[in-house]
Amino acid sequence: MSAIIGTHQYINYFNDPHGLTQGAIGSALAAGSVVGALFAGPLSDKFGRRDAIFLACLWWLLGTAVQVACTGYGMLIAGRILNGVCVGITSSQVPVYLAEIAKKEKRGSIIVIQQLAIEWGILIMFFVGYGCSFISGDASFRTAWGIQFVPAVLLMLGIPFLPRSPRWLAKVGREEKAIEVLARIQAHGKTDDPLVIAEWEEITTILAAEREAPYSGWRRFVKNGMWRRTFAGMSVQAWQQLSGANVMTYYVVYVFQMAHLSGNINLISSGVQYALFIVFTTVVFFFIDRTGRRPLLIYGAIGMGICQFIVGGVLGTYGEYVPGGVGGNENVIIQVTGQPSHVVIAFSYMLIIVYALTLAPVAWVYAAEVWSLETRATGMALASVANWLFNFALGLFVPPAFHNISWKTFIIFGVLCFGAAVQAFVFYPETAKKSLEEIEILFSKGGPRPWKTRPGDSLLDAKIAQVQELQQKGEGLGERFG
């Protein structure tokens, strides 16, 4: 949408949407995502993580069809809500799927691939929208939206070739298939590999303990210390939105209008932002499992807060009020020129760089890791609900905020970033290089203080060594997997 909302074709066809109207259009995707995330957990538990993703694609096809055929902003909002249902399901269950099939040493990097795929999609669609802006009339935005059919169809064609989650197979009682898949993804099909044996025993032990718990239904997410996980999973997703970085994603065209950019230069400069997003998320792929989650969450939030304060401070100090809006855009009522505009552009880019290195990928990684097997699908869905609720609120809030309080919007986000850093330090234990099952210990009542945890020190490594020792003594632990 960001490449389309500033075009004269869009503005003329939809009668110059601004304020709450443009906020409703922008936030409709997030509203649908909340709905999708709410039933993503039960859907994933019943049909599996892989098949839930396939079913989500059907919603995307339906929503895209409505958008392409829209005759007003009402239909456009409806189509984006339907697309959002797909996004709500996939954004919550893809991290679950990836977390459940990845090795603990590479789990963060594997989930970062999801963020990279999202960013490539955003970049491609941004320049598709930019290219379509040269088409006259409403065919401009209809063509751009119609191209959204392509990735959904390709995903649906590829999903049947992916393995199911071994942890979901264990959860539904398909033990033999679970062991087969676990061996295939962890040890090239060797069911007697020490890693496979140790991890399978860990999965079954934890699963049995969870099923003996006295709580069921929604009480599972608050009783017996589970509130800590629920709090961590939902809050890290909320902070990702409250950092304000997605303001740059949705409304970067508006921000750069404040910095005196217009026309094609504005659109191309906005596209550079998405390219930076991809480059620096690629960088984090290589070190997220070495540095851990906590440092990236803490220092990333602080860095983003500083960027927000600088952008807001420069706009507030040097900005000039523009009656009627910059270029007639009533969402942008303040503008800077000269050196201050360069500072705004530079720190808008810096904000995206820090976000791409930290909260953008890490929030999804962390939220997918903190849940138990019995609660993971629905728990991650709850975390996604928090993400998309705040995404919806901000999408709705930002255009009127730019209109009413202009530069102060960035100051608010800066304060929230520092709040995110404080909470990450106090409440989020380190999960890197630990198996999903042993993360339970970190959130238990007698678990270590979050600020005393660090990457590694995995109990699974000790179990693998024990299995190897017993195999060397000829005790044949692998027979049950033969």
Side-chain angles (χ1 to χ4, degrees):
M1 285 294 291
S2 57
I4 294 172
I5 59 176
T7 63
H8 64 86
Q9 298 96 320
Y10 174 86
I11 292 172
N12 293 339
Y13 188 86
F14 293 103
N15 195 26
D16 189 18
H18 59 272
L20 194 60
T21 301
Q22 180 56 46
I25 294 170
S27 62
L29 185 80
S33 299
V34 172
V35 176
L38 283 172
F39 65 79
L43 188 72
S44 180
D45 282 336
K46 182 174 179 59
F47 296 104
R49 290 46 165 140
R50 189 191 72 174
D51 292 354
I53 297 167
F54 182 91
L55 294 172
C57 293
L58 300 177
W59 288 93
W60 186 267
L61 298 179
L62 179 61
T64 299
V66 172
Q67 286 185 73
V68 172
C70 71
T71 56
Y73 62 77
M75 279 187 72
L76 175 58
I77 291 172
R80 285 177 60 78
I81 289 174
L82 292 171
N83 276 167
V85 174
C86 168
V87 174
I89 298 171
T90 54
S91 65
S92 64
Q93 298 313 302
V94 169
V96 169
Y97 175 71
L98 296 176
E100 291 187 345
I101 66 172
K103 291 184 178 181
K104 60 182 176 60
E105 296 87 359
K106 298 180 179 180
R107 187 172 58 242
S109 299
I110 294 297
I111 299 178
V112 166
I113 292 174
Q114 177 207 12
Q115 184 67 31
L116 268 174
I118 291 170
E119 290 162 13
W120 271 108
I122 292 172
L123 178 68
I124 291 169
M125 287 308 300
F126 180 87
F127 281 106
V128 165
Y130 171 69
C132 290
S133 68
F134 295 98
I135 302 173
S136 60
D138 59 351
S140 170
F141 51 80
R142 293 188 197 279
T143 302
W145 294 335
I147 291 173
Q148 294 179 131
F149 282 115
V150 177
V153 172
L154 292 177
L155 179 59
M156 294 174 77
L157 292 174
I159 282 176
F161 297 97
L162 300 176
R164 295 183 185 276
S165 163
R167 287 173 169 85
W168 176 77
L169 291 168
K171 184 176 183 295
V172 297
R174 298 170 60 180
E175 288 86 358
E176 290 186 8
K177 185 65 176 177
I179 294 168
E180 176 191 329
V181 173
L182 186 64
R184 185 147 47 94
I185 62 179
Q186 299 283 47
H188 306 289
K190 299 176 182 178
T191 56
D192 60 348
D193 186 278
L195 171 58
V196 176
I197 295 171
E199 190 163 0
W200 176 249
E201 290 187 345
E202 191 173 64
I203 291 170
T204 53
T205 299
I206 293 297
L207 184 57
E210 289 176 10
R211 287 175 172 171
E212 291 175 1
Y215 306 109
S216 60
W218 291 103
R219 291 185 299 171
R220 294 177 300 165
F221 295 94
V222 292
K223 298 290 185 179
N224 199 29
M226 273 299 296
W227 68 269
R228 295 181 180 87
R229 300 189 196 200
T230 304
F231 180 61
M234 295 185 71
S235 62
V236 74
Q237 290 283 284
W239 285 123
Q240 188 197 57
Q241 295 298 324
L242 290 172
S243 68
N246 275 340
V247 171
M248 296 298 178
T249 302
Y250 286 170
Y251 299 115
V252 64
V253 171
Y254 293 168
V255 176
F256 283 174
Q257 279 184 315
M258 297 178 194
H260 202 242
L261 295 182
S262 61
N264 289 337
I265 298 218
N266 188 352
L267 289 175
I268 293 170
S269 299
S270 303
V272 170
Q273 170 200 243
Y274 297 123
L276 289 173
F277 217 141
I278 290 172
V279 169
F280 286 94
T281 302
T282 302
V283 171
V284 81
F285 170 85
F286 294 101
F287 65 77
I288 185 172
D289 287 309
R290 285 182 291 181
T291 60
R293 321 308 187 219
R294 279 176 53 83
L296 296 176
L297 289 170
I298 295 168
Y299 295 114
I302 291 172
M304 291 172 64
I306 292 171
C307 292
Q308 295 279 20
F309 284 142
I310 292 174
V311 171
V314 170
L315 287 171
T317 303
Y318 299 100
E320 297 181 1
Y321 175 70
V322 180
V326 175
N329 185 350
E330 295 186 33
N331 294 303
V332 183
I333 62 168
I334 191 172
Q335 190 174 62
V336 292
T337 58
Q339 291 298 324
S341 71
H342 299 158
V343 174
V344 170
I345 294 168
F347 279 91
S348 295
Y349 283 148
M350 184 60 67
L351 175 68
I352 289 300
I353 289 171
V354 176
Y355 182 60
L357 287 169
T358 57
L359 266 71
V362 180
W364 290 105
V365 172
Y366 197 78
E369 293 176 322
V370 300
W371 309 98
S372 65
L373 178 54
E374 283 286 298
T375 61
R376 187 168 296 121
T378 301
M380 186 61 200
L382 286 174
S384 295
V385 166
N387 184 293
W388 291 112
L389 273 175
F390 282 101
N391 189 300
F392 168 76
L394 292 177
L396 198 63
F397 157 78
V398 167
F402 280 164
H403 179 78
N404 294 314
I405 61 175
S406 62
W407 62 270
K408 298 182 185 71
T409 306
F410 298 97
I411 303 301
I412 293 172
F413 285 129
V415 172
L416 291 171
C417 285
F418 277 85
V422 171
Q423 183 173 332
F425 179 82
V426 176
F427 291 105
Y428 297 165
E430 183 58 67
T431 58
K433 293 187 177 180
K434 294 175 172 62
S435 72
L436 292 175
E437 287 67 38
E438 67 185 289
I439 288 173
E440 298 212 7
I441 299 172
L442 300 177
F443 288 95
S444 62
K445 190 173 183 180
R449 298 291 186 185
W451 54 88
K452 293 183 178 180
T453 57
R454 61 182 184 180
D457 299 330
S458 174
L459 300 176
L460 180 60
D461 294 332
K463 291 181 181 179
I464 292 171
Q466 290 176 358
V467 172
Q468 289 174 328
E469 183 180 349
L470 291 172
Q471 285 182 330
Q472 290 171 357
K473 292 179 179 179
E475 299 195 13
L477 284 177
E479 290 179 1
R480 80 189 71 177
F481 304 101

